Amino acid sequence: MSGDGPPAEVEDATFVRPFIITGGRSEPAQADLRLETLVVAVGTSREPLALERQHIVALCEQPMTVAELADRVGVPLGVAKVLISDLVVAGRLACQQPAELPLHTLERIRDHVRAL
């Protein structure tokens, strides 16, 4: 080969495939995690955590949504849900679902958006 072909892709040595982070799981233990679910750290444990899990617990010192956590940790949303649900099951995080808006409020918002 003379090297005239397209350049070979250089693989990022620090890239970790998402299924490695979750241990091969793609479904969270808790199915009720939504984008807007608030997550907060609770309690302390002496058990060491993997890097991503430790980062999530540190970020959750202040309540944060699942979507924000995925962005801050830099993992896909599905991976973040698996990690968060594992931490909830382990007692390191607690979740709080935001209150649903009443139907009449949603209808008013819809009407105002249509009027734009």
Side-chain angles (χ1 to χ4, degrees), residues 28-110:
Q30 286 189 303
D32 62 341
L33 288 177
R34 299 185 314 204
L35 292 175
E36 67 273 14
T37 299
L38 286 175
V39 184
V40 64
V42 293
T44 57
S45 174
R46 289 181 228 147
E47 293 181 30
L49 296 172
L51 181 63
E52 293 82 11
R53 288 173 172 82
Q54 190 175 28
H55 191 195
I56 289 172
V57 171
L59 288 171
C60 289
E61 291 297 322
Q62 299 293 322
M64 188 170 292
T65 65
V66 170
E68 288 176 298
L69 280 170
D71 180 51
R72 297 248 180 120
V73 176
V75 296
L77 185 59
V79 172
K81 285 183 173 182
V82 170
L83 297 175
I84 291 167
S85 68
D86 287 350
L87 290 166
V88 169
V89 170
R92 303 292 297 265
L93 298 177
C95 293
Q96 181 181 13
Q97 300 291 346
E100 297 284 334
L101 291 175
L103 181 59
H104 65 83
T105 303
L106 291 172
E107 289 174 344
R108 287 187 60 205
I109 292 171
R110 179 199 63 202

